[in-house]
Amino acid sequence: QIILRDSGPTLLKPTQTLTLACSLTGTSVSATGRGVGWIRQPPGEALEWLAVIYGDDDTRYSPSLNGRLTLSRDTSKNLVILTMTNMVPLDTATYYCASTFYGDPRHGFDPWGQGAPVTVSS
Amino acid sequence: QSALTQPASVSGSPGRSITISCTGTSSDIGAYNYVSWYQQRPGGAPTLIIYDVTNRPSGISNRFSGSKSGNTASLTISGLQTEDEADYHCSSYTTRSTLVFGGGTKVTVL
């Protein structure tokens, strides 16, 4: 059984950089075909896709985030790390990591982590 | 990338069927058969219930079914049960190799 757990700071000030970690259990982040994506959800609002890293380390980012995102793997700790720069209050949301279904985000994401709530406020 | 369009809310009586629409463009829903649907209960993370327009992951009830026509995908829940009360989100792969979600639909069982 694959389990994802997302973690990171719960409170940031404007202009700070957010770093979130997604820990995988039951599989390796470097396993062939193992992709991991990040999705966020502002309070009471819709889901928004942010980024995905494929098994071959190829990455795709949401164009609406204008180059603020970086995805990487830490294979020694079995983690996928999301970095988002220049945080603003509108970035306040619950951030989820999720495993690609059948190894490909075109088929969707499952399972998901429990979500990491992040508030940006001065 | 604009979000896909879903109705804000849909309701139905127990045992009846409801359908949730998800409208996109020829650059996303209309381009591929890569539409997914997720169920999200209050306070919980989303769960995949439909992938590739019509397919159900293992363990998902056959009361959930998906379809697509042109730029619009649909999720039908038949034999509505109180446990189906949740938010439902559609998602599609796009011609820019990105993903886009819908605005979400709140389902209420009357």
Side-chain angles (χ1 to χ4, degrees):
Chain A
Q1 181 186 8
I2 297 171
I3 299 174
L4 290 83
R5 184 170 301 278
D6 18 46
S7 61
T10 57
L11 181 62
L12 288 174
K13 296 185 185 302
T15 76
Q16 288 187 320
T17 294
L18 172 67
T19 300
L20 291 170
C22 181
S23 173
L24 279 70
T25 304
T27 186
S28 169
V29 294
S30 55
T32 301
R34 174 62 59 205
V36 174
W38 286 88
I39 302 99
R40 71 179 178 181
Q41 185 174 35
E45 296 187 25
L47 297 170
E48 179 186 8
W49 174 75
L50 301 178
V52 64
I53 183 166
Y54 289 82
D56 60 0
D57 267 352
D58 188 20
T59 53
R60 292 286 186 269
Y61 299 104
S62 170
S64 65
L65 272 296
N66 297 320
R68 297 171 55 203
L69 298 173
T70 304
L71 268 181
S72 61
R73 297 180 202 269
D74 184 335
T75 55
S76 67
K77 298 179 180 178
N78 212 34
L79 298 174
V80 171
I81 299 166
L82 175 73
T83 301
M84 182 181 296
T85 59
N86 194 25
M87 295 290 284
V88 299
L90 281 178
D91 294 319
T92 294
T94 296
Y95 287 74
Y96 295 98
C97 66
S99 177
T100 56
F101 193 63
Y102 285 152
D104 192 325
R106 291 176 295 183
H107 305 309
F109 294 99
D110 191 74
W112 294 51
Q114 82 285 2
V118 176
T119 299
V120 183
S121 174
S122 55
Chain B
Q1 191 77 42
S2 300
L4 307 175
T5 301
Q6 297 181 235
S9 63
V10 173
S11 61
S13 301
R16 304 301 292 265
S17 295
I18 61 170
T19 297
I20 303 168
S21 61
C22 173
T23 301
T25 69
S26 57
S27 296
D28 38 65
I29 291 178
Y32 309 107
N33 288 323
Y34 290 131
V35 176
S36 304
W37 289 91
Y38 300 87
Q39 179 190 67
Q40 185 180 27
R41 293 200 170 98
T47 299
L48 182 68
I49 58 173
I50 295 287
Y51 68 98
D52 296 358
V53 178
T54 62
N55 298 318
R56 286 185 306 277
S58 174
I60 299 301
S61 170
N62 59 8
R63 297 187 299 104
F64 295 96
S65 61
S67 63
K68 190 189 89 166
S69 177
N71 297 336
T72 298
S74 299
L75 172 72
T76 297
I77 309 174
S78 58
L80 203 59
Q81 299 178 3
T82 54
E83 67 194 45
D84 298 330
E85 279 207 343
D87 292 330
Y88 292 83
H89 307 271
C90 62
S91 176
S92 176
Y93 188 66
T94 81
T95 55
R96 299 178 67 179
S97 299
T98 61
L99 292 149
V100 63
F101 280 92
T105 298
K106 182 178 180 61
V107 167
T108 301
V109 181
L110 301 172

